[in-house]
Amino acid sequence: MKKRWICFLVVLLLLAGCGKKPAKQEIILATTTSTKDSGLLDVILSVFEEKTGYKVSVVSVRVYAQFVRSK
């Protein structure tokens, strides 16, 4: 009987979150500077934002500089 209640509660919690949009429709995308500088993200993200309604903030990181410093 206890297992049934636990299963019921888990299913109820899962269903409670379905279909709801997050309050803030913004995501952060971390990428390398070369990907951002290539212009590829400008094309891809504009289509993504238009189709999903999410706003994407891009953060670019210089990977090579971090790699050299870690040695």
Side-chain angles (χ1 to χ4, degrees):
M1 184 70 168
K2 190 175 183 179
K3 284 186 180 182
R4 281 188 177 171
W5 276 107
I6 291 173
C7 289
F8 175 74
L9 289 174
V10 168
V11 170
L12 185 64
L13 289 173
L14 289 173
L15 290 175
C18 293
K20 292 177 92 177
K21 288 189 176 182
K24 189 174 185 183
Q25 293 183 328
E26 183 176 1
I27 57 175
I28 299 171
L29 173 66
T31 184
T32 60
T33 53
S34 58
T35 305
K36 185 176 180 187
D37 294 343
S38 71
L40 177 65
L41 291 178
D42 297 332
V43 176
I44 294 173
L45 294 182
S46 63
V47 173
F48 176 81
E49 289 176 347
E50 183 180 314
K51 288 190 177 203
T52 64
Y54 282 85
K55 170 143 177 39
V56 180
S57 298
V58 179
V59 177
S60 59
V61 180
R62 287 188 66 195
V63 176
Y64 179 74
Q66 289 181 347
F67 176 74
V68 171
R69 288 183 197 146
S70 66
K71 285 190 170 189

